[in-house]
Amino acid sequence: METQLTRDILKKVRQIEVRTNRLVNDSLAGSYNSVFKGRGMNFDEVREYVPGDDVRAIDWNVTARTGIPHIKKFTEERELTIMLMIDISSSGEFGSSDSSKREIMAEIGSVLAFSAVRNNDKVGLILYTDFVELYIPPKKGRSHILRVIREILFFTPRGTLTDLKVPLDFVNRVAKRKCVAFLISDFCLPGSFNDSLQDVLPALRVTNRRHDLISLIISDPRESELPDVGWITLEDAESGQQVDLNTSDAQVRNEYAQLAQERKDLTNRAIRSCGVDLLELNTDSPYMPPLLGFFQTRMRRAVR
C-alpha cells in the first residue's frame, strides 16, 4: 500500500514537472531573467582603457603602477533567492473545474521554481495555514525543486485557517538578504473579512520594504457567482460555518455576486495601497498568459 502511494506521488510530481517544464519556455524564462535582477555588481577584472570607456571606472592604483590607464570591469550578481509562500489551508481544496485552488498553486509554484532553476537561482518554500506548517530553506537543483513540488502537492496540514501575517513575519526572520517573495493564497480570511484584511496590511508593508513582494490570488468562479440549481448548503471550508441559499432566487444570486465583487475590490485596493504587485488567477482559466503578461508589464516598468 505504501509502495503504491509512493509510486502515485512520484507519478504526480513527474506529471507536474513535465507540464511545467513545457510551459517554462524561452519566452517565460527570458521574461523572468529580465524582471528579477541580481542584488548588485561584482568586480570581475581590470583591462586597459579604450576611448569611449567611462572614466569613472578607471582603476587609479593599477594605472599608477603600470603607467597605462586601466578600468575595472564588473559583472551583475545574478543569483537570486525565490521564496514561495503557499497557503495550504482548507479553502484551497475547493475547485469547481478540473483543478482545485491548491493544485493551481502547486503548478504556479512549479513554474516559478523551474524558471528560477534555469537562471541558477535558489528556491525556498514556506507552507502555511495559521502557522508555518513547513519550511524548506532555499537551495538550487532539480532534485530540490522536485521535493518542493512534492511538498506543495502532498503535504498534509494540521491547521485549517489562514493567517497571512504568519508567512510574511517568518520570511522577514529567515531571509537575511533581499529576496523575491511570492505570497500565493486565495485570501479567504477567517472572521470579519475587512478586519482580517486590515490586520495583515502592516506585515505586507514591512515585507515589501525588505523584499520584492508579489501577491498571487487564486480564485474559483463559484466563489463569485452561483448557478441556478435551487436550494444549496454552502460551507466555509476553514471555519465549518454553513448557510442555506435558494439559488433559484435571482436576487440571492445577484447579492452573492455583488458581495464577492466588493470583497475582491477591497482586497485589491488594500494590497496595492501597500505598494505590493498583484496578480489574480482563476482555476478555470489558463494561468500562463496572465503570468507572462505580468512579467512583461514589470519588465516595461523597470526600464522606464
Side-chain angles (χ1 to χ4, degrees), residues 2-253:
E2 185 175 344
T3 303
Q4 179 61 42
L5 180 60
T6 302
R7 283 201 296 265
D8 290 343
I9 290 174
L10 292 175
K11 180 180 178 181
K12 180 67 173 178
V13 171
R14 178 60 180 161
Q15 287 172 344
I16 291 286
E17 180 189 19
V18 170
R19 174 171 167 77
T20 53
N21 255 327
R22 190 169 63 246
L23 293 171
V24 181
N25 52 31
D26 291 339
S27 178
L28 180 61
S31 296
Y32 170 96
N33 183 66
S34 300
V35 169
F36 303 118
K37 298 294 185 181
R39 289 187 292 254
M41 304 298 289
N42 284 333
F43 173 73
D44 185 20
E45 62 181 359
V46 294
R47 63 166 174 79
E48 288 190 20
Y49 174 88
V50 296
D53 285 337
D54 187 347
V55 296
R56 292 173 297 181
I58 290 178
D59 187 322
W60 294 106
N61 290 331
V62 176
T63 298
R65 190 167 62 250
T66 63
I68 301 172
H70 282 72
I71 67 167
K72 296 178 180 179
K73 283 182 61 182
F74 294 87
T75 57
E76 182 186 10
E77 187 184 358
R78 176 47 248 178
E79 181 184 293
L80 290 172
T81 295
I82 305 297
M83 292 295 294
L84 302 175
M85 302 180 288
I86 298 184
D87 179 359
I88 56 169
S89 60
S90 296
S91 59
E93 300 300 329
F94 179 72
S96 61
S97 54
D98 293 337
S99 300
S100 69
K101 289 184 286 186
R102 182 167 174 182
E103 287 171 328
I104 296 298
M105 292 182 200
E107 286 206 22
I108 293 169
S110 303
V111 166
L112 295 171
F114 280 116
S115 296
V117 164
R118 287 197 176 192
N119 285 277
N120 202 35
D121 293 335
K122 296 178 181 178
V123 179
L125 176 67
I126 301 169
L127 298 181
Y128 66 93
T129 51
D130 54 349
F131 61 93
V132 173
E133 299 264 2
L134 176 71
Y135 171 55
I136 301 179
K139 287 178 60 178
K140 300 179 183 179
R142 177 176 175 271
S143 61
H144 173 71
I145 297 305
L146 294 181
R147 182 196 171 194
V148 166
I149 296 169
R150 184 182 72 241
E151 297 293 0
I152 296 172
L153 282 172
F154 296 104
F155 184 87
T156 302
R158 288 173 291 159
T160 60
L161 303 177
T162 303
D163 187 344
L164 296 177
K165 298 191 299 297
V166 165
L168 295 171
D169 291 342
F170 187 82
V171 77
N172 289 333
R173 290 199 304 273
V174 299
K176 303 304 181 184
R177 303 181 70 177
K178 183 174 182 178
C179 68
V180 181
F182 289 90
L183 180 65
I184 305 175
S185 174
D186 58 7
F187 275 71
C188 290
L189 306 178
S192 167
F193 182 78
N194 185 52
D195 291 345
S196 298
L197 186 60
Q198 293 301 317
D199 284 346
V200 79
L201 297 188
L204 282 171
R205 293 191 184 97
V206 169
T207 307
N208 195 47
R209 284 198 299 268
R210 296 183 181 178
H211 306 287
D212 184 359
L213 178 61
I214 298 167
S215 179
L216 275 63
I217 300 180
I218 315 301
S219 302
D220 188 273
R222 284 292 169 262
E223 294 172 325
S224 58
E225 59 181 32
L226 291 174
D228 182 356
V229 291
W231 281 94
I232 61 171
T233 300
L234 299 182
E235 179 176 329
D236 187 311
E238 299 193 5
S239 68
Q241 183 177 357
Q242 294 183 341
V243 60
D244 294 325
L245 293 177
N246 180 12
T247 63
S248 296
D249 187 330
Q251 183 177 350
V252 169
R253 298 196 305 273

